[in-house]
Amino acid sequence: MTLALVLLFAILLIAGFPVVFALAISAFGAVLIEGKYPVIVVVKEMFTGLDSFPLMAVPFFVLAAELMTGGAMTAVLLRFAAQFFGRARGGLGYANVLSSTLFAGISGSALADAAGPGGMMMKMMEKEGYPRSYAAALTASAAVVGPIIPPSITMIIYAMQDERVSVGGLFMAGILPGILIALIYAGVNMIQSFRHGYRSETPVPPLPQILRNTVHAIPALLLIVVVIGGIRGGIFTPTEASVMAVFYALFCGMFLYRTLRLRAIPEILLASAVTSGAILMILAAARAFAWVLVIERIPQDAAQYIVDMNLSPIAFLLVVNVALLIFGCFMDPLPGVMILVPILAPIAHSMGIDPTHFAILVIVNLTMGLVTPPVGSLLFVVSSVGRVPVAQILKEMPIFMAANLLILIMLSFLPAITTFLPRLSGF
C-alpha cells in the first residue's frame, strides 16, 4: 500500500494536480488498491483531523487578517514602513521587508503577506525604478516571515501534532527568528542595492508627518500584543485569542480608522470562508495521507532507522534540515507539518533537543519551501500579482537561497534564538 500511495502522489503532482487533491486521491487510491480497509475509513480520518477545538483558531485568525486588510490597515502599515528610508540606497527594499514583518503580526500567512502588502510594495518599487523581477524575488522571500512571527496558522497546526509544545510557547519562540530572518533579508537587499544602484526618489517626509503616521499605525501594531499578552496572562486560550483578534480588528476598522464599512463585511466573510476552507481541506487530506503511512508503520520504521544510525543531536538536525529542504520543494508547510512532525518530533525529543527549538526549525525550513520550485507557492503568487514570469524571478533567487541556508544554520547551532523568549516569559 505504501508503494501505491507514493506512486499515486508523485504521478498526481507531476500531472499538475493541487497538493490537496494529490494527497486525498492518493490516500483513497492506496486503500482501494490494497483492499484491506473500507474506503469509509479514509473519510472518517479526514473528519477526525478537523475535529479539534484548537483548530477553530485558524478561520478566526484568517477573518481577523481579512478585516484588518479591509479596514485599510495594510496601507497604514505600508506608510509607516516606507517613511523611514526615503532616498536611501535600497530604501524601498527595506520598506518591503519591514512591511512584510509588520503584516506578519496580523496575517499569520506567507501567501497573505505576498498578495497584500507585498503586491503593493512591488508596484511602488517598480514605479521607483527597481527591476520588476528583483521586487518580486524580494517580496516572495520577505513573505516567508509571515508564518514565523505570531500569530501563525502553521504553529497552531504544529502544536496539534506535538503535545510537548504549546501554541503560546511557539508564538513567543517565533518572534526572534522572525526578526533575524527580516534582518538577513534586509542585508541581502543592501548588498544587491549597492551592486546595482537601486535607489528611490521619494524624500523622507517631515517629522510631523512621520509622527502622525506612527501614531496612526500603533493600533494595527498592537494586535500581536493583544494576542500574546492575553495568552501569556491566562486571560484566554489561543482559540479564544483568535476570536478576540476578530473583535479587535472590527473595532479598529470601524471606530478608530473608520475605513471598514458594513457593506464590505459580507465580501470579507466570503473571502475568509474561501481561505479557511482551502486550509481545512489541506489539513483533512494530509490527515488521511498520514493515516495510511501510520497503518503501514512508515513513521515507526523511519524513526527506528534514524535511531539505529546513532547520530549526534547536531548531525540529526543537519540531516533533518536537508530532508526538509528537499521535502519542501514538493509540499506546502501545513501538510508537511502533519505528515512529518509525528515522525521527527519524538526522535528529536529522545535526543534531548528542545521541543520548541525543533518546532521552529521545522516550521522555518518548511516555510522556506514556499520559495523553492517546483511547487513554490510564493513564487506563483508574486508572479501573478506582479505580472513577472517565474523564470525571471528565479534568476534573482540564488542570493536569497544562500540567505535561507545561513538562517537555518544559525537556528540549528544557536537554539537560544528560539528558546530565550519562551523561557523568559514562562512557557
Side-chain angles (χ1 to χ4, degrees):
M1 186 155 58
T2 303
L3 180 61
L5 181 78
V6 174
L7 283 177
L8 277 172
F9 181 67
I11 291 169
L12 291 170
L13 277 185
I14 293 170
F17 277 66
V19 172
V20 58
F21 294 115
L23 288 168
I25 294 172
S26 57
F28 276 106
V31 171
L32 279 171
I33 292 170
E34 185 69 18
K36 290 195 301 185
Y37 305 95
V39 179
I40 193 66
V41 175
V42 179
V43 179
K44 172 187 169 294
E45 287 299 320
M46 294 178 76
F47 277 94
T48 302
L50 301 181
D51 185 17
S52 169
F53 179 72
L55 193 58
M56 290 176 61
V58 172
F60 283 112
F61 275 128
V62 170
L63 177 56
E66 290 286 346
L67 288 169
M68 296 286 261
T69 303
M73 276 174 262
T74 302
V76 168
L77 291 177
L78 281 177
R79 282 197 300 271
F80 172 74
Q83 67 183 352
F84 298 109
F85 302 104
R87 294 194 177 102
R89 194 180 294 270
L92 276 183
Y94 299 126
N96 192 334
V97 175
L98 180 57
S99 64
S100 288
T101 306
L102 296 176
F103 193 73
I106 294 175
S107 70
S109 165
L111 299 181
D113 266 16
M120 297 171 69
M121 283 302 309
M122 286 170 63
K123 294 176 183 176
M124 293 171 62
M125 291 178 70
E126 183 183 359
K127 186 178 178 181
E128 292 288 348
Y130 291 76
R132 192 182 296 179
S133 57
Y134 174 72
L138 179 62
T139 298
S141 300
V144 166
V145 81
I148 312 304
I149 290 183
S152 166
I153 294 170
T154 308
M155 290 178 182
I156 295 171
I157 305 306
Y158 190 104
M160 291 172 56
Q161 308 304 310
D162 185 2
E163 61 184 13
R164 301 173 189 84
V165 297
S166 66
V167 174
L170 291 183
F171 280 5
M172 289 300 298
I175 295 175
L176 289 182
I179 294 173
L180 172 67
I181 292 170
L183 289 174
I184 289 179
Y185 287 152
V188 171
N189 176 67
M190 180 180 69
I191 293 170
Q192 293 297 83
S193 297
F194 274 90
R195 284 178 60 190
H196 302 289
Y198 300 149
R199 187 187 296 274
S200 306
E201 297 300 327
T202 304
V204 174
L207 182 60
Q209 183 64 44
I210 291 178
L211 293 177
R212 282 195 296 271
N213 291 342
T214 302
V215 171
H216 209 48
I218 287 175
L221 297 173
L222 284 179
L223 176 64
I224 188 174
V225 178
V226 172
V227 171
I228 294 183
I231 295 173
R232 176 63 189 91
I235 301 172
F236 36 68
T237 66
T239 302
E240 293 163 346
S242 67
V243 178
M244 291 301 301
V246 170
F247 282 104
Y248 182 81
L250 273 172
F251 175 77
C252 288
M254 298 184 74
F255 300 106
L256 291 183
Y257 294 113
R258 298 181 181 179
T259 51
L260 184 61
R261 300 288 180 254
L262 283 175
R263 63 177 178 272
I265 299 297
E267 185 178 348
I268 289 174
L269 290 173
L270 177 61
S272 302
V274 170
T275 302
S276 300
I279 293 171
L280 295 177
M281 283 177 63
I282 291 173
L283 297 180
R287 172 62 181 249
F289 190 93
W291 174 79
V292 177
L293 292 177
V294 169
I295 62 171
E296 289 293 290
R297 294 191 56 81
I298 300 303
Q300 299 92 320
D301 293 343
Q304 188 59 49
Y305 177 76
I306 295 174
V307 169
D308 291 343
M309 291 174 68
N310 241 358
L311 298 173
S312 67
I314 289 297
F316 171 72
L317 288 180
L318 293 176
V319 170
V320 166
N321 274 320
V322 173
L324 291 179
L325 283 172
I326 296 171
F327 189 87
C329 292
F330 302 97
M331 188 169 291
D332 288 340
L334 292 182
V337 165
M338 293 195 69
I339 293 169
L340 294 178
V341 169
I343 302 173
L344 298 175
I347 303 172
H349 179 68
S350 68
M351 291 184 170
I353 299 171
D354 187 278
T356 301
H357 171 219
F358 186 73
I360 298 300
L361 189 62
V362 169
I363 292 170
V364 171
N365 202 317
L366 288 175
T367 303
M368 287 176 175
L370 292 172
V371 292
T372 308
V375 175
S377 303
L378 280 173
L379 297 176
F380 294 101
V381 169
V382 297
S383 173
S384 175
V385 172
R387 301 184 304 280
V388 191
V390 173
Q392 291 185 20
I393 301 174
L394 289 175
K395 291 179 181 178
E396 302 279 356
M397 289 302 298
I399 190 168
F400 292 103
M401 298 296 186
N404 289 344
L405 292 177
L406 174 62
I407 291 164
L408 291 174
I409 291 171
M410 293 181 70
L411 291 179
S412 298
F413 288 93
L414 299 172
I417 297 173
T418 57
T419 58
F420 174 71
L421 285 183
R423 290 175 180 172
L424 183 67
S425 55
F427 282 104

